[in-house]
Amino acid sequence: MTPPAPAKAAAPDPCRHCGLPLPSGRSDGFCCPGCTLAYQLIQQSGLGAFYQRLTLSAGQRRLQPEIREHRHLGLSVIAEGKDRCGLSLMVDGLHCPACVWLIERVLAQQPDMLAARVNFSTGRLRLCWQGTPERADSLVGLVESLGFRLVPFDPAKLRDATDEVGSELMRCLAVAGFATGNVMLLSVSVWAGHAGSMGAATRDLLHWLSALIAMPAILYAGRPFFRSAWRALAHRRSNMDVPISVGVLLTTAMSLSETVRHGPYAYFDSAVTLLFFLLIGRVLDHRARGRTRAVAAHLLSLGAAGATRLTGLGQAETVPVGALKAGDHLLVAAGEKLPADGDVVQGNSDVDGSPVTGESIPLAAAPGSHLFAGMVNLTAPLTLCVGAAGDDTLLAEMLRLMEAAESGRARYRQLADRLTRLYSPLVHSAALMTFGYWLVLGEVAWQVALLRAVAVLIVTCPCAMGLAIPAVQVVVSARLLKRGILLKSATALERLADIDQVVFDKTGTLTTGQPRLLTEPKPDAANLCLAAGLARSSRHPLARALAQACRLAPVITDVEEIPGCGLLAGGTRLGSRAWLGLPEDGRTDAELWLAVAGQTPRRFAFGEDLRPDAAGVVARLAGNGTGVALLSGDRPAAVAIAAQACGIQDWQGGLDPTAKLRRVAALQRQGRIVLMVGDGLNDAAALAAADVSMSPASATDIAQTAADVVFQGARLAPVADLLDIARQARRVVRQNLALALGYNLVAVPLAVTGIVSPPIAAALMSSSSIIVVLNALRLMRPYQEGAL
Amino acid sequence: MTSLLLLIPCALLLGAIGLAAFLWALRSGQFEDLDGAANRILFDDPPAKETHHDEAR
């Protein structure tokens, strides 16, 4: 939690609603009309205390209301009995509990609201209201007008994915914890009794009681391990769970036989404690990963949820994207994302193709143009004929490229798995040799020999090793999540530590993906004001950038938008060079021309904003000895400008997806370990091929699916931070493994020679686990470089 | 040692009650929003419409 960014000394106070710096010329305390409305709504609802309670957190977007995109919320509403509707949404922009309070109170003031509850941990909002599904739009609109962004999701799907395993682990943990506490209690009295004050009958009674508590608990709480071990063995492999399962089951069986034979030692406490500690590791691991998985799943659901299909009778119906077939006619409203590949049948518009091609300037769409899913329709409604479904779509082509590229990465084995492959045969043969040695050479009864062999299994049971890696991953992923970085892949952290080459995409990755009016040469104020006034009525990104540059411009009414050309109001025109009939002059920037009757046309040139810290991050990476390259599908001239601004020497423009993939593969052949950072459909194959891949949260669905890591926010610093943190984490993992193995090296000889008694084994085991966890917790300390 | 016959069942019973309480809490969703619950107590005005937690999950 950090205070709002201090405004620059000369600048006035930040916006009273969102806290962003005010644009020059605004004097009413608000940065945009959206913030003014949000502020009024909050005050009218009597919730003004919100502003005193709000604590802004970094990594979350500020609460600046945005223009709403056209969506199909009705599809996500679930009917819950007569006249009752339910809707689950993901909330983007939750800073602190005050946001929870505000959302719940504003919604509770709606008369038809039955329940509105925000889950702060998962960032989800659950709505339940009396009425029709259509009401969803206005309810969601109400919250969005406060500056939050909401995305609907299907709760049934998400619960299946995350909750079942998690709650089973928790139940196992609870049972194991109960058994550990009680069996330990009994064991301590037995150990104390060994001094001589306890009679054999009492000891047997306590052993029997331990058996009664421990055995059902072990059978219940050990299931996650037994299942996984069985699966591994069925596939003739071994994993960490095999020695654990063998150790726990043998220990229990051995202890039971000791108890039956009135023996002095039983190891029930060791078996349940082992399970308890291991389950803690599993639960933590699952929690951290489940949380990031859930958030990542939500980011993906930002994609088109529904499509408007035209029936043969010319009526419109809303259908899920999955139900579309080739030949369907779709209506795509302005501002909507194209749900499928297809050809334009009717309508003229401008289409933002940057998610697919990387090209930053929108393309004109007219009947006959072929468009791809993921592009955004900007200015006017289009009717689209869905292209050949299945294998012929661009999406399917990308998926094929991705699959081929990903097969290389699947060969990566986790450090823990590699260790286990070496470790478990070693453990099993050590136990076997102990048994054989005592039986043949030690001349003791077979029960004693077996007891010593089991002792070896217990002390070598990789309890600390099972905790060593999960503990670090939990701490690190929780810390990364706070900074808006989601680890989607379990092995990403390990792979990240080896990275020595970073490859960036340009549009949307190095840059914010939004055009901005260039201030060189400075446009004169009167014309800018006029142009901005015209531009306010359009959704075209260049027009929006123009409107952004002069927010005080008076709104001009009666503006006609001519898709693919420009805007027209009376005799004044704002639009493309070709529309105004001006000759080409070789300049390649994105541009708009303003023509006022009787004056020479004025030119407005646009550039792309680099992410504010792009150059700094590139310098930081280079300073660490990491190679940096820029691969883009945009025009080489535009790429050159961005590369120069960031200080990247190694750049290439005009690349198609296959060329990007080849370039990444070439780097890998040179022995480089490549991190690819990209956001477009055209990056997906390269993302899948790279050793690790990262996407901004604004990226296309397919890029986010391909990426191992997704980062939020306008800054690029997460890329450099992540590499630093991954290297730090690897150091701690190695220390932990060294500690765990060192403990085993000391304990095994003691166990082989039969010196280790149950209390010593238990104490050694617990202390090594605790040391490992404490060592992992060191990573919680605030991280200095690139601090927030 | 006869006191053990009373004390051990007592200890086990208490432990079992704790276990049952935990499992109940788990099932009824008490662990689903730990951060939210910690802060919710600080909201000083009474909730306008409180509903059963099962519904709000």
Side-chain angles (χ1 to χ4, degrees), chain A residues 53 84 97 100-101 104 108 111 113-115 117-121 126 170-171 174-175 178 182 206 209 213 287, chain B residues 1 4 8 12 15-16 19 22-23 26 31-36 39-40 43-45 48-51 55-57:
Chain A
R53 297 179 181 183
R84 287 179 64 160
V100 175
W101 176 81
E104 289 185 355
M113 206 69 213
L114 294 173
R117 188 147 171 121
V118 178
N119 183 326
F120 186 49
S121 307
R126 171 99 180 83
M170 274 306 260
R171 283 196 302 272
V175 169
F178 166 77
N182 287 291
L206 295 185
L209 268 172
I213 301 166
R287 282 243 146 167
Chain B
M1 284 295 167
L4 277 183
I8 289 175
L12 285 180
L19 178 65
F22 179 78
L23 290 178
L26 195 64
F31 291 91
E32 288 190 2
D33 185 14
L34 295 175
D35 302 336
N39 287 296
R40 219 168 266 278
F43 299 169
D44 43 10
D45 42 3
K49 270 180 199 168
E50 196 49 87
T51 47
E55 198 157 60
R57 252 190 289 155

Short mmCIF file of all heavy atoms in Angstrom, two decimals, chain A residues 53 84 97 100-101 104 108 111 113-115 117-121 126 170-171 174-175 178 182 206 209 213 287, chain B residues 1 4 8 12 15-16 19 22-23 26 31-36 39-40 43-45 48-51 55-57:
data_model
loop_
_atom_site.label_atom_id
_atom_site.label_comp_id
_atom_site.label_asym_id
_atom_site.label_seq_id
_atom_site.Cartn_x
_atom_site.Cartn_y
_atom_site.Cartn_z
N ARG A 53 -11.15 6.78 3.24
CA ARG A 53 -10.73 5.41 3.58
C ARG A 53 -9.84 4.79 2.52
O ARG A 53 -9.13 3.83 2.79
CB ARG A 53 -11.96 4.53 3.73
CG ARG A 53 -12.86 4.98 4.84
CD ARG A 53 -14.05 4.07 4.91
NE ARG A 53 -14.95 4.49 5.96
CZ ARG A 53 -16.05 3.82 6.26
NH1 ARG A 53 -16.36 2.74 5.61
NH2 ARG A 53 -16.82 4.26 7.23
N ARG A 84 -35.51 -14.39 -9.98
CA ARG A 84 -34.23 -14.09 -9.31
C ARG A 84 -33.09 -14.41 -10.27
O ARG A 84 -33.07 -15.47 -10.89
CB ARG A 84 -34.09 -14.92 -8.04
CG ARG A 84 -35.00 -14.43 -6.94
CD ARG A 84 -34.83 -15.31 -5.74
NE ARG A 84 -33.47 -15.21 -5.22
CZ ARG A 84 -33.16 -15.55 -3.96
NH1 ARG A 84 -34.07 -16.01 -3.16
NH2 ARG A 84 -31.93 -15.45 -3.54
N PRO A 97 -9.97 -2.35 1.23
CA PRO A 97 -11.32 -2.67 1.72
C PRO A 97 -12.34 -1.57 1.45
O PRO A 97 -13.53 -1.85 1.36
CB PRO A 97 -11.11 -2.88 3.21
CG PRO A 97 -9.70 -3.31 3.33
CD PRO A 97 -8.95 -2.58 2.26
N VAL A 100 -14.28 -2.37 -1.51
CA VAL A 100 -15.28 -3.41 -1.24
C VAL A 100 -16.51 -2.75 -0.65
O VAL A 100 -17.64 -2.99 -1.06
CB VAL A 100 -14.71 -4.45 -0.24
CG1 VAL A 100 -15.78 -5.45 0.14
CG2 VAL A 100 -13.50 -5.13 -0.84
N TRP A 101 -16.27 -1.89 0.33
CA TRP A 101 -17.35 -1.19 1.03
C TRP A 101 -18.18 -0.37 0.04
O TRP A 101 -19.40 -0.44 0.02
CB TRP A 101 -16.70 -0.30 2.10
CG TRP A 101 -17.61 0.58 2.88
CD1 TRP A 101 -18.37 0.20 3.95
CD2 TRP A 101 -17.83 1.97 2.69
NE1 TRP A 101 -19.05 1.28 4.41
CE2 TRP A 101 -18.75 2.37 3.66
CE3 TRP A 101 -17.35 2.91 1.77
CZ2 TRP A 101 -19.19 3.68 3.77
CZ3 TRP A 101 -17.78 4.21 1.87
CH2 TRP A 101 -18.70 4.59 2.85
N GLU A 104 -20.28 -2.58 -2.42
CA GLU A 104 -21.40 -3.24 -1.76
C GLU A 104 -22.49 -2.26 -1.37
O GLU A 104 -23.67 -2.54 -1.52
CB GLU A 104 -20.90 -4.01 -0.53
CG GLU A 104 -20.09 -5.23 -0.92
CD GLU A 104 -19.68 -6.08 0.28
OE1 GLU A 104 -19.95 -5.65 1.42
OE2 GLU A 104 -19.09 -7.14 0.06
N ALA A 108 -26.22 -2.08 -2.75
CA ALA A 108 -27.27 -2.37 -1.77
C ALA A 108 -28.36 -1.30 -1.81
O ALA A 108 -29.49 -1.54 -1.39
CB ALA A 108 -26.67 -2.46 -0.38
N PRO A 111 -33.06 -0.86 -5.14
CA PRO A 111 -34.19 -1.50 -4.46
C PRO A 111 -34.36 -2.99 -4.80
O PRO A 111 -34.82 -3.75 -3.96
CB PRO A 111 -35.40 -0.69 -4.97
CG PRO A 111 -34.92 0.04 -6.18
CD PRO A 111 -33.46 0.27 -5.98
N MET A 113 -32.03 -5.17 -5.35
CA MET A 113 -30.83 -5.96 -5.07
C MET A 113 -31.09 -6.92 -3.92
O MET A 113 -31.58 -6.51 -2.87
CB MET A 113 -29.72 -4.97 -4.67
CG MET A 113 -28.36 -5.47 -4.94
SD MET A 113 -28.10 -5.56 -6.69
CE MET A 113 -27.06 -6.95 -6.74
N LEU A 114 -30.79 -8.18 -4.11
CA LEU A 114 -30.96 -9.15 -3.02
C LEU A 114 -29.65 -9.37 -2.29
O LEU A 114 -29.61 -9.48 -1.07
CB LEU A 114 -31.48 -10.47 -3.56
CG LEU A 114 -32.89 -10.41 -4.15
CD1 LEU A 114 -33.24 -11.72 -4.82
CD2 LEU A 114 -33.90 -10.07 -3.07
N ALA A 115 -28.57 -9.47 -3.02
CA ALA A 115 -27.27 -9.68 -2.39
C ALA A 115 -26.19 -9.14 -3.31
O ALA A 115 -26.25 -9.31 -4.52
CB ALA A 115 -27.03 -11.16 -2.12
N ARG A 117 -22.00 -9.08 -2.87
CA ARG A 117 -20.89 -9.33 -1.96
C ARG A 117 -19.59 -9.47 -2.74
O ARG A 117 -19.53 -10.21 -3.73
CB ARG A 117 -21.14 -10.60 -1.16
CG ARG A 117 -20.12 -10.79 -0.08
CD ARG A 117 -20.73 -11.47 1.11
NE ARG A 117 -19.70 -11.84 2.07
CZ ARG A 117 -19.68 -11.41 3.32
NH1 ARG A 117 -20.63 -10.61 3.74
NH2 ARG A 117 -18.74 -11.80 4.13
N VAL A 118 -18.59 -8.74 -2.27
CA VAL A 118 -17.28 -8.79 -2.91
C VAL A 118 -16.39 -9.70 -2.10
O VAL A 118 -16.33 -9.59 -0.88
CB VAL A 118 -16.65 -7.39 -2.99
CG1 VAL A 118 -15.28 -7.46 -3.62
CG2 VAL A 118 -17.54 -6.44 -3.77
N ASN A 119 -15.73 -10.63 -2.77
CA ASN A 119 -14.70 -11.43 -2.12
C ASN A 119 -13.37 -10.72 -2.39
O ASN A 119 -12.89 -10.68 -3.51
CB ASN A 119 -14.70 -12.84 -2.72
CG ASN A 119 -13.69 -13.74 -2.04
OD1 ASN A 119 -12.63 -13.29 -1.62
ND2 ASN A 119 -14.03 -14.99 -1.91
N PHE A 120 -12.81 -10.13 -1.32
CA PHE A 120 -11.63 -9.28 -1.49
C PHE A 120 -10.40 -10.11 -1.86
O PHE A 120 -9.54 -9.66 -2.61
CB PHE A 120 -11.40 -8.50 -0.19
CG PHE A 120 -10.30 -7.48 -0.28
CD1 PHE A 120 -10.26 -6.57 -1.33
CD2 PHE A 120 -9.32 -7.42 0.68
CE1 PHE A 120 -9.26 -5.63 -1.42
CE2 PHE A 120 -8.32 -6.47 0.61
CZ PHE A 120 -8.29 -5.58 -0.44
N SER A 121 -10.32 -11.34 -1.34
CA SER A 121 -9.14 -12.17 -1.62
C SER A 121 -9.06 -12.54 -3.08
O SER A 121 -7.99 -12.55 -3.67
CB SER A 121 -9.18 -13.46 -0.80
OG SER A 121 -9.35 -13.16 0.55
N ARG A 126 -20.26 -11.06 -6.38
CA ARG A 126 -21.40 -11.93 -6.61
C ARG A 126 -22.66 -11.09 -6.47
O ARG A 126 -22.87 -10.42 -5.46
CB ARG A 126 -21.37 -13.03 -5.55
CG ARG A 126 -22.57 -13.89 -5.50
CD ARG A 126 -22.33 -15.20 -6.24
NE ARG A 126 -23.54 -16.00 -6.14
CZ ARG A 126 -24.58 -15.83 -6.95
NH1 ARG A 126 -24.53 -14.96 -7.91
NH2 ARG A 126 -25.66 -16.56 -6.80
N MET A 170 -7.15 -29.35 2.39
CA MET A 170 -7.40 -28.72 3.69
C MET A 170 -7.98 -29.73 4.68
O MET A 170 -7.60 -29.76 5.85
CB MET A 170 -8.38 -27.54 3.53
CG MET A 170 -7.73 -26.24 3.17
SD MET A 170 -6.42 -25.76 4.28
CE MET A 170 -7.27 -24.58 5.31
N ARG A 171 -8.92 -30.56 4.20
CA ARG A 171 -9.51 -31.56 5.10
C ARG A 171 -8.45 -32.54 5.55
O ARG A 171 -8.36 -32.90 6.72
CB ARG A 171 -10.64 -32.31 4.38
CG ARG A 171 -11.93 -31.52 4.28
CD ARG A 171 -13.09 -32.43 3.92
NE ARG A 171 -12.88 -33.15 2.67
CZ ARG A 171 -13.21 -32.67 1.47
NH1 ARG A 171 -13.78 -31.49 1.38
NH2 ARG A 171 -12.98 -33.37 0.38
N ALA A 174 -6.33 -30.92 8.15
CA ALA A 174 -7.01 -30.83 9.44
C ALA A 174 -6.93 -32.17 10.18
O ALA A 174 -6.59 -32.22 11.37
CB ALA A 174 -8.47 -30.42 9.24
N VAL A 175 -7.21 -33.26 9.45
CA VAL A 175 -7.20 -34.58 10.08
C VAL A 175 -5.78 -34.92 10.53
O VAL A 175 -5.55 -35.40 11.65
CB VAL A 175 -7.75 -35.63 9.10
CG1 VAL A 175 -7.50 -37.03 9.62
CG2 VAL A 175 -9.22 -35.39 8.86
N PHE A 178 -4.89 -32.92 13.64
CA PHE A 178 -5.54 -33.49 14.82
C PHE A 178 -4.78 -34.72 15.30
O PHE A 178 -4.44 -34.85 16.48
CB PHE A 178 -6.99 -33.85 14.46
CG PHE A 178 -7.67 -34.72 15.45
CD1 PHE A 178 -8.16 -34.20 16.64
CD2 PHE A 178 -7.85 -36.08 15.19
CE1 PHE A 178 -8.79 -35.02 17.56
CE2 PHE A 178 -8.48 -36.89 16.10
CZ PHE A 178 -8.95 -36.38 17.29
N ASN A 182 -2.48 -35.25 18.94
CA ASN A 182 -2.83 -36.25 19.95
C ASN A 182 -1.82 -37.37 20.05
O ASN A 182 -1.50 -37.82 21.16
CB ASN A 182 -4.23 -36.80 19.64
CG ASN A 182 -5.29 -35.78 19.98
OD1 ASN A 182 -5.51 -35.48 21.14
ND2 ASN A 182 -5.89 -35.20 18.97
N LEU A 206 -0.98 -47.04 25.59
CA LEU A 206 -0.76 -45.79 24.84
C LEU A 206 -0.43 -46.08 23.38
O LEU A 206 -0.86 -45.37 22.47
CB LEU A 206 0.35 -44.97 25.50
CG LEU A 206 0.01 -44.45 26.90
CD1 LEU A 206 1.11 -43.55 27.43
CD2 LEU A 206 -1.32 -43.70 26.91
N LEU A 209 -3.64 -46.87 21.66
CA LEU A 209 -4.41 -45.63 21.43
C LEU A 209 -3.83 -44.86 20.24
O LEU A 209 -4.56 -44.38 19.37
CB LEU A 209 -4.35 -44.75 22.68
CG LEU A 209 -5.47 -44.95 23.67
CD1 LEU A 209 -5.18 -44.16 24.93
CD2 LEU A 209 -6.79 -44.51 23.06
N ILE A 213 -5.68 -43.79 16.68
CA ILE A 213 -5.81 -42.43 16.14
C ILE A 213 -5.08 -42.32 14.81
O ILE A 213 -5.58 -41.78 13.84
CB ILE A 213 -5.24 -41.40 17.13
CG1 ILE A 213 -5.96 -41.48 18.46
CG2 ILE A 213 -5.35 -39.99 16.56
CD1 ILE A 213 -5.24 -40.75 19.57
N ARG A 287 -2.56 -23.25 -2.69
CA ARG A 287 -3.21 -21.95 -2.48
C ARG A 287 -2.61 -20.90 -3.41
O ARG A 287 -3.31 -20.19 -4.11
CB ARG A 287 -2.96 -21.48 -1.04
CG ARG A 287 -3.84 -22.17 -0.07
CD ARG A 287 -4.74 -21.16 0.59
NE ARG A 287 -6.01 -21.78 0.86
CZ ARG A 287 -6.91 -21.23 1.66
NH1 ARG A 287 -6.66 -20.08 2.24
NH2 ARG A 287 -8.05 -21.82 1.86
N MET B 1 -2.63 -44.30 37.67
CA MET B 1 -2.76 -44.41 36.22
C MET B 1 -4.22 -44.49 35.78
O MET B 1 -4.53 -44.36 34.60
CB MET B 1 -2.03 -45.67 35.73
CG MET B 1 -0.52 -45.50 35.71
SD MET B 1 0.02 -44.24 34.52
CE MET B 1 1.71 -44.02 35.02
N LEU B 4 -5.81 -41.78 33.75
CA LEU B 4 -5.62 -41.75 32.29
C LEU B 4 -6.89 -42.16 31.56
O LEU B 4 -7.23 -41.61 30.52
CB LEU B 4 -4.49 -42.70 31.89
CG LEU B 4 -3.07 -42.20 31.99
CD1 LEU B 4 -2.11 -43.27 31.49
CD2 LEU B 4 -2.92 -40.92 31.19
N ILE B 8 -7.59 -39.24 28.92
CA ILE B 8 -7.32 -39.42 27.50
C ILE B 8 -8.58 -39.27 26.65
O ILE B 8 -8.58 -38.53 25.67
CB ILE B 8 -6.60 -40.77 27.24
CG1 ILE B 8 -5.17 -40.67 27.77
CG2 ILE B 8 -6.57 -41.09 25.75
CD1 ILE B 8 -4.39 -41.95 27.69
N LEU B 12 -9.11 -36.42 23.78
CA LEU B 12 -9.50 -36.78 22.41
C LEU B 12 -10.80 -36.11 22.02
O LEU B 12 -10.95 -35.63 20.89
CB LEU B 12 -9.63 -38.29 22.28
CG LEU B 12 -8.30 -39.05 22.22
CD1 LEU B 12 -8.55 -40.53 22.09
CD2 LEU B 12 -7.47 -38.54 21.06
N GLY B 15 -10.19 -32.51 21.27
CA GLY B 15 -9.53 -32.40 19.96
C GLY B 15 -10.51 -32.63 18.83
O GLY B 15 -10.51 -31.92 17.83
N ALA B 16 -11.38 -33.63 19.02
CA ALA B 16 -12.34 -33.97 17.97
C ALA B 16 -13.32 -32.82 17.75
O ALA B 16 -13.71 -32.54 16.61
CB ALA B 16 -13.09 -35.24 18.33
N LEU B 19 -11.57 -30.36 15.64
CA LEU B 19 -11.48 -30.84 14.26
C LEU B 19 -12.81 -30.66 13.54
O LEU B 19 -12.87 -30.17 12.42
CB LEU B 19 -11.08 -32.32 14.26
CG LEU B 19 -10.97 -32.99 12.89
CD1 LEU B 19 -9.86 -32.37 12.08
CD2 LEU B 19 -10.72 -34.49 13.05
N PHE B 22 -13.42 -27.09 12.72
CA PHE B 22 -12.62 -26.65 11.59
C PHE B 22 -13.21 -27.14 10.26
O PHE B 22 -13.35 -26.39 9.30
CB PHE B 22 -11.18 -27.16 11.74
CG PHE B 22 -10.29 -26.77 10.60
CD1 PHE B 22 -9.79 -25.48 10.53
CD2 PHE B 22 -9.99 -27.67 9.59
CE1 PHE B 22 -8.97 -25.11 9.46
CE2 PHE B 22 -9.19 -27.29 8.53
CZ PHE B 22 -8.68 -26.01 8.47
N LEU B 23 -13.60 -28.43 10.26
CA LEU B 23 -14.16 -28.98 9.02
C LEU B 23 -15.47 -28.28 8.66
O LEU B 23 -15.75 -28.02 7.49
CB LEU B 23 -14.40 -30.49 9.17
CG LEU B 23 -13.11 -31.32 9.22
CD1 LEU B 23 -13.43 -32.79 9.42
CD2 LEU B 23 -12.28 -31.14 7.96
N LEU B 26 -14.61 -24.96 7.20
CA LEU B 26 -14.08 -25.14 5.84
C LEU B 26 -15.24 -25.31 4.86
O LEU B 26 -15.29 -24.69 3.81
CB LEU B 26 -13.21 -26.39 5.83
CG LEU B 26 -12.30 -26.58 4.65
CD1 LEU B 26 -11.28 -25.47 4.61
CD2 LEU B 26 -11.59 -27.92 4.74
N PHE B 31 -13.19 -19.81 4.93
CA PHE B 31 -11.79 -19.56 4.57
C PHE B 31 -11.66 -19.00 3.16
O PHE B 31 -10.59 -18.98 2.59
CB PHE B 31 -10.97 -20.85 4.67
CG PHE B 31 -10.79 -21.30 6.08
CD1 PHE B 31 -11.68 -22.17 6.67
CD2 PHE B 31 -9.73 -20.82 6.84
CE1 PHE B 31 -11.52 -22.57 7.97
CE2 PHE B 31 -9.57 -21.21 8.15
CZ PHE B 31 -10.47 -22.08 8.72
N GLU B 32 -12.80 -18.60 2.59
CA GLU B 32 -12.73 -18.19 1.19
C GLU B 32 -12.33 -16.75 0.98
O GLU B 32 -11.90 -16.38 -0.09
CB GLU B 32 -14.06 -18.49 0.50
CG GLU B 32 -14.20 -19.98 0.32
CD GLU B 32 -15.35 -20.36 -0.55
OE1 GLU B 32 -16.03 -19.46 -1.06
OE2 GLU B 32 -15.57 -21.56 -0.70
N ASP B 33 -12.52 -15.92 1.97
CA ASP B 33 -12.13 -14.52 1.80
C ASP B 33 -11.49 -14.03 3.08
O ASP B 33 -12.08 -13.25 3.83
CB ASP B 33 -13.35 -13.68 1.43
CG ASP B 33 -12.97 -12.24 1.14
OD1 ASP B 33 -11.77 -11.99 0.96
OD2 ASP B 33 -13.86 -11.38 1.10
N LEU B 34 -10.27 -14.49 3.34
CA LEU B 34 -9.62 -14.15 4.61
C LEU B 34 -9.31 -12.66 4.70
O LEU B 34 -9.50 -12.03 5.72
CB LEU B 34 -8.34 -14.97 4.77
CG LEU B 34 -8.57 -16.49 4.90
CD1 LEU B 34 -7.25 -17.22 4.91
CD2 LEU B 34 -9.36 -16.80 6.15
N ASP B 35 -8.84 -12.08 3.60
CA ASP B 35 -8.48 -10.65 3.61
C ASP B 35 -9.73 -9.79 3.81
O ASP B 35 -9.72 -8.82 4.55
CB ASP B 35 -7.81 -10.25 2.30
CG ASP B 35 -6.57 -11.07 2.03
OD1 ASP B 35 -6.01 -11.58 3.02
OD2 ASP B 35 -6.18 -11.21 0.88
N GLY B 36 -10.80 -10.17 3.13
CA GLY B 36 -12.02 -9.39 3.20
C GLY B 36 -12.61 -9.43 4.60
O GLY B 36 -12.99 -8.40 5.16
N ASN B 39 -11.04 -7.19 7.16
CA ASN B 39 -11.30 -5.76 7.04
C ASN B 39 -12.76 -5.40 7.21
O ASN B 39 -13.09 -4.28 7.58
CB ASN B 39 -10.85 -5.29 5.66
CG ASN B 39 -9.34 -5.23 5.58
OD1 ASN B 39 -8.72 -4.46 6.28
ND2 ASN B 39 -8.75 -6.08 4.77
N ARG B 40 -13.64 -6.36 6.93
CA ARG B 40 -15.07 -6.10 6.96
C ARG B 40 -15.53 -5.61 8.33
O ARG B 40 -16.45 -4.82 8.46
CB ARG B 40 -15.82 -7.39 6.63
CG ARG B 40 -17.02 -7.22 5.76
CD ARG B 40 -17.47 -8.58 5.28
NE ARG B 40 -16.92 -8.91 4.00
CZ ARG B 40 -17.43 -8.47 2.85
NH1 ARG B 40 -18.49 -7.71 2.87
NH2 ARG B 40 -16.89 -8.79 1.71
N PHE B 43 -15.86 -1.85 8.80
CA PHE B 43 -16.91 -1.05 8.18
C PHE B 43 -17.88 -0.67 9.27
O PHE B 43 -18.55 -1.52 9.84
CB PHE B 43 -17.66 -1.85 7.10
CG PHE B 43 -16.81 -2.31 5.97
CD1 PHE B 43 -17.29 -3.23 5.06
CD2 PHE B 43 -15.52 -1.82 5.80
CE1 PHE B 43 -16.50 -3.66 4.01
CE2 PHE B 43 -14.73 -2.25 4.75
CZ PHE B 43 -15.22 -3.18 3.86
N ASP B 44 -17.99 0.65 9.57
CA ASP B 44 -18.70 0.99 10.81
C ASP B 44 -20.22 1.09 10.67
O ASP B 44 -20.92 1.00 11.65
CB ASP B 44 -18.14 2.28 11.42
CG ASP B 44 -17.90 3.33 10.37
OD1 ASP B 44 -18.34 3.12 9.23
OD2 ASP B 44 -17.27 4.36 10.68
N ASP B 45 -20.74 1.26 9.44
CA ASP B 45 -22.19 1.35 9.37
C ASP B 45 -22.80 -0.04 9.16
O ASP B 45 -22.18 -0.91 8.58
CB ASP B 45 -22.63 2.30 8.27
CG ASP B 45 -21.82 2.11 7.02
OD1 ASP B 45 -20.96 1.18 7.03
OD2 ASP B 45 -22.00 2.83 6.05
N ALA B 48 -26.66 -2.73 4.80
CA ALA B 48 -28.03 -2.42 4.43
C ALA B 48 -28.86 -3.69 4.32
O ALA B 48 -29.98 -3.76 4.77
CB ALA B 48 -28.05 -1.66 3.12
N LYS B 49 -28.29 -4.70 3.67
CA LYS B 49 -29.02 -5.96 3.51
C LYS B 49 -28.02 -7.07 3.69
O LYS B 49 -27.16 -7.28 2.85
CB LYS B 49 -29.61 -6.05 2.10
CG LYS B 49 -30.99 -5.47 1.96
CD LYS B 49 -31.45 -5.64 0.53
CE LYS B 49 -32.58 -4.68 0.25
NZ LYS B 49 -32.88 -4.58 -1.16
N GLU B 50 -28.11 -7.76 4.80
CA GLU B 50 -27.19 -8.87 5.01
C GLU B 50 -27.87 -10.14 4.57
O GLU B 50 -29.06 -10.35 4.82
CB GLU B 50 -26.79 -8.94 6.49
CG GLU B 50 -25.57 -9.80 6.75
CD GLU B 50 -24.39 -9.46 5.84
OE1 GLU B 50 -23.60 -8.56 6.18
OE2 GLU B 50 -24.27 -10.11 4.78
N THR B 51 -27.15 -10.96 3.88
CA THR B 51 -27.74 -12.22 3.43
C THR B 51 -26.93 -13.37 3.97
O THR B 51 -25.84 -13.18 4.50
CB THR B 51 -27.73 -12.30 1.89
OG1 THR B 51 -26.45 -11.95 1.46
CG2 THR B 51 -28.77 -11.40 1.31
N GLU B 55 -25.19 -17.71 0.16
CA GLU B 55 -25.69 -17.11 -1.04
C GLU B 55 -24.65 -16.18 -1.66
O GLU B 55 -24.58 -16.04 -2.86
CB GLU B 55 -26.92 -16.30 -0.66
CG GLU B 55 -27.80 -15.97 -1.83
CD GLU B 55 -29.19 -15.69 -1.36
OE1 GLU B 55 -29.37 -14.77 -0.56
OE2 GLU B 55 -30.08 -16.42 -1.77
N ALA B 56 -23.89 -15.57 -0.77
CA ALA B 56 -22.97 -14.54 -1.25
C ALA B 56 -21.68 -15.12 -1.77
O ALA B 56 -20.84 -14.42 -2.28
CB ALA B 56 -22.69 -13.55 -0.13
N ARG B 57 -21.49 -16.39 -1.61
CA ARG B 57 -20.22 -16.95 -2.02
C ARG B 57 -19.98 -16.84 -3.50
O ARG B 57 -20.62 -17.40 -4.30
CB ARG B 57 -20.14 -18.40 -1.61
CG ARG B 57 -19.15 -18.55 -0.48
CD ARG B 57 -18.87 -19.99 -0.22
NE ARG B 57 -20.01 -20.65 0.38
CZ ARG B 57 -20.20 -21.96 0.27
NH1 ARG B 57 -19.39 -22.70 -0.42
NH2 ARG B 57 -21.23 -22.51 0.85
#
